[in-house]
Structure formats: C-alpha cells, structure tokens
Amino acid sequence: MAHLFLVKDIAFQAGLSTATVDRVLNGRPGVRRQTEMRVKAAIAELEKQQAGAMGSGRMLAIDIVMETPQRFSDAVRAAFEAEMATFLPGVFRCRFHFAEVMKPAELVQLLDRIRLRGTHGIVLKAPDVADVAAAVARADAAGIPVVTLVTDLPNSARIAYAGADNRAAGETAAYLIGESLGAGGGKVLVTLSSGWFRGEEEREIGFRRVIRARYPDIGITEISEGHGTDAATGTLAAAALAADPAINAVYSIGGGNRAVLAVFDMAKRPVRVFVAHDLDADNRALLAARRIGFVLHHDLRTDARSAFRAIMSRATALPRAVTPSLSSVEIVTPYNMPAAD
C-alpha cells in the first residue's frame, strides 16, 4: 500500500495502533477487511490534507472533533474546507475526527490523544458532561485552544463558541408551528439526538417557553437518545405515534427526518407542519419535495470562520481574544432555499 506518511500519523488518523497499521501496510495476515479499509481511508484523508496545504506559509494544524450523524458532518467538512481557501496561502490544515455515536469515555480518550500528539487548536461538538469539560481543561492547560461548535460547553475552559443562538432558534420553531396549527391546536413530536447536548437543550427550552406562553392548546411529546440516526430515531418515533394519536406536527432538533416521516407514512398519519434544522443534503431534498415545511438554517461557513479566527487569535498572541458573534438563524422554505455550495 503506497504512501508518503509516517506510520504514527496514519495510525492517529485511522484511530488504530501503529502495530496494526504496520501489519496492514506490509500485507501481513490476520487483518480484517474493515481495518484495511480504515487504513486506506486514513491515507486518502492525509493525502487530501497535504494537497490542501501545498504552497502554505505558516501552517496551523487543527483538529475538528464531532459526534454527529454523517449527513451533518459532511456539511461541516464542506464548510471548513471551503472556508480554509479564504485563509490561503495555507493558514489552516484541518484533521477531521467524526463519529455518529461516541461514548463520552471514547471522546475523552480522543481529546487526550490529540493533546498529547500536539495541535494548534480543537473545534469540538460534544455532549456537555463533566468528563468532556475536564478533557477541555487539560487541553487548555497545555496551551491548546478549544472552540465549541454548534453546541456549547459554557462551563468549560473553551475559548469561544461558534454557532447560532439555539434558544432563539427554538423560539422561532415554536412560532412557526404555533401559527401553522392555529386555534385547532395539536401535539408536536419534538426529537432530540441526545439530552446531553447543550445546544439541543437550549432549542428545546426556547421552544417550550413560547409554546407555553403563546400556544397553550398545543401539547408536546419528546423523544431522545436516537443520536440523529434513522434506525434509532425511527424506532422512538414509531413508539411515540403508537402511544399518542394526537401527534400531528414535528419539531426535529436532532435529525433523522426521513425516518420520522416514514413512520408517519406507515401509520397513515398527516403531518400538519414539520420544522427541521440545517440545510444538509437530506433536508434539502425533503424541503424541495415539500415533505418538510421549514428549515432553520445558520451558515456553517460563518461558524468555521469564527472558529478559525478565535484559534488564530490565540496562536498569534493577539492582545485581545476574538469573540465570535452568533450566527443568524434563517427560515428557509422551498421558495428561498439557497444553492448548495
């Protein structure tokens, strides 16, 4: 397997031991096909990073760590790679570490490995739990700035948050659903990927506050811990619909929207209004097909730019740290959907 990289770099990118990578590279027996594919993917990723770094001046290598469904991680990767080009020649090199589901202990282990390996900064989407906050504190003590993305860790040592005002987004969703359902009321299925993400909690708080204050005839049923994956979210949604025939609207905070719609279709139940988050590939298709009514969107490239600037301010020892402003929340319909990047 031809490559130009150190075994330790390939191992770090693949999340494998150097011994395992060495066995794969030298074609030794006893290696699973899945492991071989991880090594190949790691080499391809390193080649892509190297190509993006050609012709650079000072290079800042940062690590982007996210627990999130692939449809959203794909959108984040595209935003960061597009925004990197505006900092050329070669200011940033991004190493991506994505997983759809990651236990807190696994996430902490990854953060500690990045700290020990060395990095100019970490961009992090993670649950707001004590062990993760402790890992962020260890990174900060080692001189590594951490910027939270989309969902915050406000009680940690992170230097900045890059993302939208999640509470305002939830309030906006409540307004859209409340006005759509009208005096007839109904019941909203609120889907979270996990209750441990501060950003999702803030959206839910904002949503419940406005529904309670302005639309008291509308009820709420919540499902959580589907991690935004279709299989788990669909199972939770099916159980909720079976238990409550009044559910006729959806506020999707955590994703899995195709699966949620499929459950309504199988039950032959109408969805009066469906509000989702983020213009990923799935939501673009669903919006264009009129399967969902509104997408609350914020520009991920703006978030990437904010994260880059915050890390750069620490790396270049600017006298005053850069504090990112919150991304604006846009209401996107089938008629004003922006073109894909």
Side-chain angles (χ1 to χ4, degrees):
M1 192 180 297
H3 66 93
L4 299 174
F5 307 102
L6 296 175
V7 170
K8 68 177 183 179
D9 288 337
I10 298 172
F12 184 80
Q13 187 68 41
L16 300 168
S17 69
T18 55
T20 298
V21 171
D22 185 72
R23 285 200 302 273
V24 173
L25 295 176
N26 290 285
R28 297 194 179 97
V31 177
R32 292 184 300 170
R33 175 65 175 167
Q34 183 181 9
T35 302
E36 182 180 344
M37 295 303 295
R38 284 176 65 178
V39 172
K40 287 182 177 179
I43 292 173
E45 176 65 27
L46 289 169
E47 289 172 343
K48 187 174 184 179
Q49 293 171 6
Q50 185 184 62
M54 294 301 291
S56 66
R58 184 182 179 191
M59 178 62 62
L60 299 179
I62 66 172
D63 291 85
I64 301 167
V65 179
M66 299 176 61
E67 180 192 345
T68 192
Q70 183 176 343
R71 59 182 171 270
F72 187 64
S73 64
D74 286 346
V76 169
R77 178 191 287 267
F80 272 79
E81 290 181 341
E83 199 57 32
M84 272 194 295
T86 69
F87 284 84
L88 291 176
V91 176
F92 285 98
R93 172 190 173 198
C94 294
R95 297 181 292 236
F96 298 98
H97 311 272
F98 297 149
E100 291 202 320
V101 181
M102 196 183 310
K103 295 177 181 178
E106 296 170 336
L107 183 56
V108 167
Q109 184 181 50
L110 175 58
L111 291 173
D112 285 338
R113 286 175 54 217
I114 291 171
R115 171 175 56 83
L116 294 171
R117 182 184 189 271
T119 184
H120 290 105
I122 297 172
V123 178
L124 178 63
K125 178 184 180 291
D128 186 9
V129 297
D131 287 349
V132 172
V136 171
R138 290 192 292 273
D140 185 74
I144 298 170
V146 177
V147 176
T148 51
L149 179 71
V150 179
T151 182
D152 199 10
L153 304 174
N155 299 316
S156 72
R158 58 92 170 127
I159 65 166
Y161 162 69
D165 183 333
N166 285 305
R167 192 165 297 206
E171 293 169 345
T172 302
Y175 174 78
L176 293 171
I177 289 176
E179 294 298 308
S180 296
L181 292 181
K187 199 79 167 284
V188 184
L189 180 66
V190 176
T191 73
L192 291 85
S193 69
S194 174
W196 293 108
F197 286 107
R198 177 62 67 100
E200 294 193 8
E201 179 186 39
E202 290 290 326
R203 292 173 183 177
E204 184 195 18
I205 289 171
F207 182 80
R208 286 183 179 273
R209 188 194 71 78
V210 172
I211 290 293
R212 185 170 55 249
R214 296 181 57 92
Y215 309 102
D217 294 330
I218 296 176
I220 296 173
T221 294
E222 176 191 314
I223 60 174
S224 184
E225 308 313 312
H227 298 281
T229 62
D230 285 344
T233 303
T235 298
L236 293 168
L241 262 64
D244 192 341
I247 294 173
N248 62 350
V250 178
Y251 175 33
S252 173
I253 296 175
N257 299 333
R258 288 189 182 277
V260 173
L261 287 166
V263 168
F264 275 90
D265 290 343
M266 289 181 63
K268 295 182 170 53
R269 299 262 291 272
V271 182
R272 291 276 306 280
V273 57
F274 194 124
V275 177
H277 277 273
D278 305 312
L279 274 179
D280 55 36
D282 272 12
N283 283 343
R284 282 182 172 277
L286 293 172
L287 193 61
R290 311 300 197 269
R291 297 304 314 276
I292 58 180
F294 305 97
V295 172
L296 300 179
H297 174 64
H298 69 280
D299 184 15
L300 290 172
R301 286 193 60 174
T302 298
D303 297 342
R305 190 178 313 126
S306 294
F308 285 153
R309 287 175 174 169
I311 290 171
M312 187 182 293
S313 73
R314 175 72 71 88
T316 54
L318 294 180
R320 184 168 60 88
V322 174
T323 302
S325 58
L326 296 176
S327 305
S328 60
V329 177
E330 304 173 52
I331 301 172
V332 181
T333 74
Y335 299 99
N336 70 334
M337 183 164 44
D341 291 335

